[in-house]
Amino acid sequence: MLAAAGAALLVAVLGGAATDIGPWYQSLQKPAWQPPDWLFGPAWTLIFGLTALAGVRAWARAPDAAARGRLLSAYALNALLNILWSVLFFTVKRPDWALVEVVSLWLSIALLIVLSGRRDRVAGWLLVPYLIWVGFAGVLNWSVVRLNEPFSGP
């Protein structure tokens, strides 16, 4: 449980470090339906907590080292894609690139749901809010791109 919590915290810290909502972000046109900036922190905190719990539940019910290795690989891939989205959007300032990447992030969550849900049905369901949130974030990302394109350079 501590390893899962530590991994979730590391992803949150690295993603947060890449997220700068300073002048560049504030200057972007955003859709009227975008949630307030303060909501993103609590939402991600809940999602990371649920993801860690799902990982622990699935890991505990994995039948062997190979199954645990597949789970660990899927969770690691998802963590990297999660951080990469923040880097592309906020650090590199390329919401258009982040929009392409968010598809991979969403698919990696779907994979987590399948792999974790095979081991523990509750673990799979614990990941559904993450899938929904990233789906919503993808639509929001698409809206930001449409309202602000073209983007150039990194």
Side-chain angles (χ1 to χ4, degrees):
M1 182 66 124
L2 288 176
L9 182 60
L10 179 63
V11 173
V13 167
L14 291 173
T19 303
D20 178 6
I21 59 169
W24 174 81
Y25 176 75
Q26 295 303 324
S27 73
L28 292 174
Q29 292 182 1
K30 298 168 201 83
W33 48 267
Q34 176 175 317
D37 290 340
W38 64 263
L39 182 62
F40 288 86
W44 278 113
T45 300
L46 176 62
I47 286 166
F48 285 133
L50 292 173
T51 301
L53 181 57
V56 168
R57 290 182 64 99
W59 177 274
R61 289 161 183 81
D64 54 35
R68 286 189 296 277
R70 285 189 294 277
L71 279 170
L72 184 58
S73 295
Y75 276 86
L77 173 64
N78 174 262
L80 291 172
L81 291 170
N82 188 297
I83 295 164
L84 179 60
W85 184 89
S86 294
V87 169
L88 291 173
F89 193 102
F90 292 103
T91 304
V92 182
K93 297 178 173 62
R94 291 302 302 253
D96 51 344
W97 294 355
L99 181 60
V100 173
E101 192 272 354
V102 80
V103 174
S104 297
L105 176 57
W106 192 90
L107 289 171
S108 78
I109 301 163
L111 177 64
L112 290 181
I113 290 171
V114 169
L115 292 178
S116 297
R118 283 182 185 163
R119 302 294 163 225
D120 180 84
R121 183 174 293 189
V122 171
W125 281 105
L126 287 170
L127 294 163
V128 170
Y130 185 14
L131 187 73
I132 293 168
W133 182 252
V134 169
F136 172 76
V139 173
L140 180 58
N141 189 162
W142 176 76
S143 296
V144 168
V145 169
R146 286 201 41 173
L147 290 168
N148 296 277
E149 62 187 346
F151 296 94
S152 63

